[in-house]
Amino acid sequence: MKRSEINEILREGAAFIAQHGFVLPPFAFWSPQEFAAHRPAIGPLLEARLGWDITDYGQGRFADLGLFLFTVRNGRQADLKAGGGMCYAEKIMISRQNQISPMHRHYLKAEDIINRGGATLAIELFGAAEDGSFDANAGGVVYCDGVRRAFSAGEVLHLAPGESVTLMPGDWHAFWGEGGDVLIGEVSTVNDDETDNWFRDPIGRFPEIEEDEAPLHLLAPDYARIA
Ligand SMILES: [Fe+2]
């Protein structure tokens, strides 16, 4: 992706989030220079990779295959291993109309995917084979706001604003906005996106960035530059 495209998506995404009444923390709007100036005090923020994360899954077709994310909070892997403490994470995301987040599952992360406003959130579901791999014939059971919901292989849930689904590790899922763009919340287990995504098809998780202009704001994958 070109940096100019990422900057434009950032502007549009921040406006969409604000329009739906979700207010981001101050560091969302720091310039790259402000990030550098705060460096001594923000070790945990950088380590947890809080902040902007825009991806085209390395495919160069953001409108069709992509996701806009902001990680609001993300705990500590060490706490998860120890069995207590900061084991949680929260993201706010945007799926545009018919923009697919491709079929994947997680190894460790359980996640509540929440429609926070806008259009309908469509979520396609499959169960896993015995070894955890994708099974085109497997259904399963999820809970939607605490209510049991059995699904057949490839069934699509349609979540209206306010509705959510709990996905456990092993639940294969893809999602997109239906009828318009949708603001999505994610409340989950502490998360490492470098290691915890198992995609059905061989794709990347982060974009390749071509620097054709200066970044408006840093993305989490940019932190390596200042860390
Ligand atoms: Fe997921």
Side-chain angles (χ1 to χ4, degrees):
M1 298 178 84
K2 289 188 172 169
R3 183 66 72 171
S4 54
E5 185 190 356
I6 288 174
N7 286 343
E8 187 53 31
I9 293 165
L10 268 175
R11 287 190 193 94
E12 292 168 359
F16 188 77
I17 290 170
Q19 185 191 326
H20 288 278
F22 193 98
V23 184
L24 294 167
F27 73 87
F29 301 104
W30 288 352
S31 66
Q33 295 73 21
E34 287 172 304
F35 248 98
H38 282 98
R39 175 67 189 90
I42 57 170
L45 184 163
L46 299 177
E47 201 173 317
R49 294 165 70 94
L50 306 188
W52 303 107
D53 177 7
I54 293 169
T55 185
D56 66 352
Y57 300 93
Q59 304 302 296
R61 300 181 287 120
F62 179 75
D64 301 324
L65 192 70
L67 186 62
F68 179 99
L69 309 96
F70 184 93
T71 301
V72 187
R73 66 201 81 247
N74 193 12
R76 291 183 282 259
Q77 297 287 339
D79 285 7
L80 185 63
K81 288 192 184 93
M86 202 176 176
C87 301
Y88 53 87
E90 178 189 14
K91 292 177 182 174
I92 189 85
M93 315 188 283
I94 301 166
S95 280
R96 296 188 182 187
Q97 183 169 14
N98 299 329
Q99 181 188 39
I100 291 173
S101 284
M103 187 58 64
H104 67 284
R105 56 157 287 183
H106 302 284
Y107 294 100
L108 292 177
K109 181 173 74 163
E111 55 187 1
D112 280 13
I113 303 293
I114 308 145
N115 185 334
R116 294 282 192 203
T120 298
L121 171 58
I123 307 183
E124 183 182 25
L125 296 171
F126 288 89
E130 224 160 80
D131 65 356
S133 62
F134 181 79
D135 183 344
N137 299 310
V141 172
V142 287
Y143 281 78
C144 293
D145 298 300
V147 179
R148 188 179 193 278
R149 170 75 157 79
F151 64 89
S152 55
E155 196 171 339
V156 178
L157 297 182
H158 295 92
L159 302 182
E163 295 183 327
S164 74
V165 60
T166 300
L167 300 174
M168 297 301 289
D171 292 335
W172 285 88
H173 54 287
F175 56 91
W176 60 90
E178 198 163 275
D181 301 347
V182 58
L183 186 67
I184 304 168
E186 176 181 307
V187 173
S188 76
T189 315
V190 53
N191 169 230
D192 182 354
D193 272 318
E194 296 278 2
T195 58
D196 196 50
N197 296 291
W198 179 351
F199 290 102
R200 180 187 58 188
D201 303 321
I203 53 173
R205 168 60 182 81
F206 296 103
E208 307 256 327
I209 301 179
E210 182 188 330
E211 302 293 349
D212 64 333
E213 66 179 41
L216 177 65
H217 303 298
L218 296 178
L219 306 184
D222 295 324
Y223 294 162
R225 298 178 183 191
I226 58 163

